Amino acid sequence: MILGGPYNSGILATGVKNSKITPYYNYEPAPAEVVAKVNKIEDICAQFQVPLAAAALQFPLGHSAVSTVIPGLGSAKRVDQAIELFNYDIPKAFWTQLKDDGLLRQDAPLLTRDAY
């Protein structure tokens, strides 16, 4: 399976805490409940020093059916950023914390670096 749009219209690339622009989700302004959930995810990202965009880019690869993730790559700079985010080492404890806090389903497959 090839997955496109890992940043879900931008909200998982920019986050909601420090953004001066309206966060978008599913190509529309994000509803309040989505903004609140992303805000909580950003708190955990800060706790583990994980860029939100790295987590969004890598998360789909935890599922064995996903072989490829396609982020928006409109420039050479964005290609370089995507490579850096893809290679960012995210600890397993980060994913576990998201589950423990109810931000991921308990049965969501977790990404491990040896998976790719």
Side-chain angles (χ1 to χ4, degrees), residues 8-73:
N8 209 314
S9 302
I11 196 166
L12 295 178
T14 63
V16 298
K17 289 187 178 295
N18 298 316
S19 181
K20 295 183 193 293
I21 59 171
T22 300
Y24 271 69
Y25 172 80
N26 287 344
Y27 305 102
E28 297 180 345
E33 64 272 7
V34 171
V35 171
K37 186 172 184 177
V38 171
N39 188 50
K40 291 176 184 176
I41 294 169
E42 283 186 273
D43 287 343
I44 295 171
C45 286
Q47 177 185 343
F48 286 90
Q49 299 179 353
V50 170
L52 176 64
L57 183 62
Q58 292 184 34
F59 174 72
L61 295 168
H63 196 288
S64 62
V66 177
S67 64
T68 305
V69 177
I70 305 171
L73 302 172

